[in-house]
């Protein structure tokens, strides 16, 4: 199958999941995760109408997206990988949504850069719902206080929460936990669900799903 067909298939599955979860049509946004794929592999998805893409590395995104953004100005680029504070300037300059805010140092660096550049990417807080030591994200029990700090102390607008459940576990409880934390923070956006579990995530209230291999193939 070609990228266009796989993209259409994912879009249809999202719509079907919206219906079966009694969600509003169009309630769930598709973030097409294009990490490791080059412009040549990505362009067919843009031609087919996809506008929202996710990348996990700042440098890789910097190398391939400015040209495509030039060709198609309404592209929306999400950073979905861990961010170091020494990359905050590049991230603020390139991305429209940064999904991986997970500690005070990075929140402060982003706040300073947003001020300096006059650019305001939307921000999500990443939660390490499985408390995995190797994984980025704030601990669930610290999430409410951290979102509060971002808002009150740093003047940041947080749009929502994001999580990546442990690969070997049933993702449902992790999605439910993220939804509960978002409600506690009065946040409406939930970035959760990948190629293997996006339909489950939609049942649990995902407002965006990050789908890579089901569209672009195995990495
Ligand atoms: C790679 C990646 C995805 C997409 O994963 P697939 O299983 O290929 O759909 C989603 N979210 C994050 C944070 C990723 O790094």
């Amino acid at each position: 199958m070609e990228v266009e067909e796989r993209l259409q298939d994912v879009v249809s599955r999202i719509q079907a999941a919206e219906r079966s979860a009694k969600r509003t049509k169009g309630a769930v946004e598709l973030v097409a995760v294009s990490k490791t794929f080059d412009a040549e592999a990505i362009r067919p998805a843009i031609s087919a109408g996809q506008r929202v893409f996710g990348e996990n590395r700042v440098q890789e995104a910097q190398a391939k997206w400015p040209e495509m953004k030039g060709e198609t100005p309404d592209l929306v680029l999400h950073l979905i990988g861990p961010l170091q504070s020494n990359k905050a300037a590049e991230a603020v300059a390139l991305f429209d949504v940064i999904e991986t805010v997970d500690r005070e140092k990075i929140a402060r660096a982003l706040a300073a850069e947003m001020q300096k550049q006059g650019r305001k990417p939307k921000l999500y807080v990443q939660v390490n719902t499985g408390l995995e030591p190797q994984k980025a994200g704030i601990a669930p029990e610290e999430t409410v206080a951290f979102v509060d700090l971002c808002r009150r102390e740093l003047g940041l607008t947080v749009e929502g929460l994001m999580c990546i459940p442990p690969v070997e576990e049933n993702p449902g409880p992790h999605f439910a936990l993220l939804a509960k934390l978002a409600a506690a923070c009065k946040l409406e956006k939930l970035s959760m669900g990948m190629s293997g579990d996006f339909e489950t995530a939609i049942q649990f209230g995902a407002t965006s799903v990050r789908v890579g291999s089901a569209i672009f193939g195995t990495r």
Side-chain angles (χ1 to χ4, degrees):
M1 254 204 284
E2 305 284 332
V3 165
E4 293 92 325
E5 290 172 78
R6 285 193 299 245
L7 174 65
Q8 189 46 56
D9 182 57
V10 168
V11 169
S12 303
R13 285 169 59 193
I14 289 172
Q15 290 169 348
E18 284 174 346
R19 282 193 297 274
S20 75
K22 305 220 170 2
R23 305 279 309 274
T24 314
K25 188 167 186 284
V28 181
E29 180 164 71
L30 170 61
V31 179
V33 177
S34 49
K35 65 187 186 196
T36 78
F37 290 95
D38 60 14
E40 202 184 333
I42 298 167
R43 280 201 177 92
I46 299 174
S47 301
Q50 179 63 26
R51 288 293 178 269
V52 185
F53 291 86
E55 288 283 341
N56 69 335
R57 288 167 184 273
V58 176
Q59 253 165 327
E60 181 188 339
Q62 262 183 326
K64 63 189 184 191
W65 282 99
E67 193 182 333
M68 288 189 281
K69 274 193 154 186
E71 296 159 1
T72 311
D74 60 340
L75 291 181
V76 177
L77 205 52
H78 289 228
L79 177 63
I80 61 170
L83 180 58
Q84 304 301 320
S85 41
N86 63 3
K87 291 271 170 23
E90 286 99 323
V92 167
L94 180 63
F95 289 95
D96 304 292
V97 183
I98 296 174
E99 298 202 13
T100 50
V101 183
D102 66 350
R103 58 196 187 278
E104 187 173 341
K105 190 176 178 200
I106 198 70
R108 282 191 188 279
L110 290 170
E113 274 307 322
M114 286 162 71
Q115 186 80 24
K116 195 165 143 193
Q117 297 184 27
R119 230 186 99 78
K120 281 202 158 211
K122 292 178 174 164
L123 304 177
Y124 283 59
V125 167
Q126 182 177 354
V127 183
N128 188 355
T129 56
L131 287 170
E132 295 173 280
Q134 82 287 5
K135 202 168 267 176
I138 191 135
E141 68 270 22
E142 293 168 15
T143 303
V144 173
F146 179 64
V147 168
D148 207 48
L149 176 135
C150 289
R151 285 170 169 158
R152 284 171 200 258
E153 208 167 310
L154 306 178
L156 294 170
T157 301
V158 178
E159 302 276 327
L161 302 181
M162 176 270 215
C163 77
I164 312 167
V167 279
E168 69 286 359
E169 284 182 34
N170 172 9
H174 295 273
F175 297 151
L177 174 58
L178 199 71
K180 191 177 140 201
L181 291 170
C185 297
K186 300 198 163 38
L187 291 171
E188 285 176 3
K189 302 280 186 182
L190 287 169
S191 170
M192 56 192 199
M194 318 197 332
S195 292
D197 57 16
F198 67 85
E199 284 135 324
T200 306
I202 290 169
Q203 281 180 347
F204 282 93
T207 57
S208 61
V209 293
R210 310 177 308 268
V211 180
S213 48
I215 298 168
F216 294 105
T218 46
R219 291 180 293 270

